[in-house]
Amino acid sequence: MEQLQYISQGKTREEQETNIRKALDHGIGWVQVRWKNATEKELISLCEASKRLCSEYQSVCIINDHVELARSIDADGVHLGLDDGSVKTARSILGDHKIIGGTANTLSDVLQRMNEPCDYIGLGPLRFTATKEKLSPVLGFEGYRQIVENLKEKSHSLPKIFAIGSVTPEDIVPLLQIGIYGVSVSGEITRQPSLITEFKKEITHNEVFR
């Protein structure tokens, strides 16, 4: 599983698609299509285009929230928020071969996601981010450390946890040292797609921590 995920951003369909294309041009291997304020027609159109683009670039295409839409366009999977329906239902619709990710903010959320089970967990936020409305309480590095230590104390094998929330390339080393698997990035990559190279370099050079 890729360790760097781009969560799409943009106020219009054109902005979204342009940002996704730029990320793919700069080597992103995993795109999560996320557009909360779109009309149904606009979202379907964007997801269809994103799936085509990701297939062209041989990248993973995940749809945020919309399980039936992910199924209809044969996306690689879906990412579910804590209020976006059950993993069990999504699995019955998409099948065992698709990726299902889930959001978490607390140790309790992480344990829930592990029990469901998700293929990966988006845990955050690391720090304040303006990208997401109704932001959950900020974890910081210490919050991640406490959750990982709690899991180890309970003799759980660590799930694939992705840090999210204004993550920068400089955060990779401390996050991997803690035991975080990867990172999901939106604003930083949208503003500067060339940072994808920096993120990948940090991850590759420091995989020894994983």
Side-chain angles (χ1 to χ4, degrees):
M1 183 179 283
E2 291 273 341
Q3 290 173 261
L4 175 64
Q5 179 182 147
Y6 171 58
I7 302 178
S8 72
Q9 201 174 36
K11 294 180 180 178
T12 66
R13 187 203 175 290
E14 291 74 21
E15 277 184 19
Q16 283 269 346
E17 186 173 340
T18 296
N19 291 335
I20 289 169
R21 188 183 291 274
K22 284 180 180 177
L24 290 166
D25 282 337
H26 283 84
I28 200 71
W30 184 347
V31 174
Q32 180 189 145
V33 184
R34 184 180 186 273
W35 188 16
K36 290 292 189 181
N37 300 319
T39 65
E40 183 180 2
K41 183 178 179 181
E42 286 175 325
L43 183 63
I44 291 171
S45 176
L46 173 65
C47 289
E48 288 174 341
S50 300
K51 170 59 180 172
R52 286 194 300 271
L53 279 172
C54 287
S55 295
E56 180 184 329
Y57 285 79
Q58 295 185 310
S59 294
V60 172
C61 181
I62 299 286
I63 307 302
N64 183 273
D65 293 357
H66 298 272
V67 179
E68 287 291 353
L69 177 54
R71 183 194 59 77
S72 69
I73 67 167
D74 195 28
D76 296 296
V78 70
H79 182 93
L80 300 174
L82 287 163
D83 300 318
D84 293 331
S86 76
V87 171
K88 183 179 180 181
T89 300
R91 182 65 70 199
S92 69
I93 293 169
L94 297 177
D96 293 335
H97 61 297
K98 298 295 188 179
I99 299 167
I100 298 179
T103 297
N105 178 246
T106 65
L107 174 62
S108 175
D109 296 338
V110 172
L111 291 170
Q112 173 193 323
R113 292 311 197 186
M114 290 170 69
N115 288 331
E116 287 174 331
C118 281
D119 295 304
Y120 74 91
I121 299 168
L123 177 63
L126 171 62
R127 53 176 67 90
F128 175 80
T129 173
T131 302
K132 188 169 184 180
E133 298 174 9
K134 299 179 182 177
L135 191 68
S136 299
V138 171
L139 287 173
F141 292 107
E142 188 56 33
Y144 285 103
R145 188 174 291 108
Q146 289 175 6
I147 287 172
V148 168
E149 286 177 359
N150 266 285
L151 291 174
K152 288 179 177 177
E153 285 171 9
K154 296 174 187 292
S155 299
H156 289 293
S157 56
L158 290 182
K160 289 182 170 66
I161 296 175
F162 284 73
I164 185 170
S166 295
V167 180
T168 69
E170 292 74 23
D171 299 325
I172 296 298
V173 171
L175 287 169
L176 292 181
Q177 285 176 326
I178 288 167
I180 301 304
Y181 177 84
V183 294
S184 299
V185 184
S186 186
E188 289 288 312
I189 287 176
T190 299
R191 287 186 291 272
Q192 193 176 343
S194 60
L195 282 178
I196 290 168
T197 302
E198 292 300 311
F199 276 108
K200 285 189 161 188
K201 185 171 72 174
E202 289 297 323
I203 289 169
T204 302
H205 287 180
N206 295 288
E207 281 188 328
V208 65
F209 295 127
R210 204 155 54 83

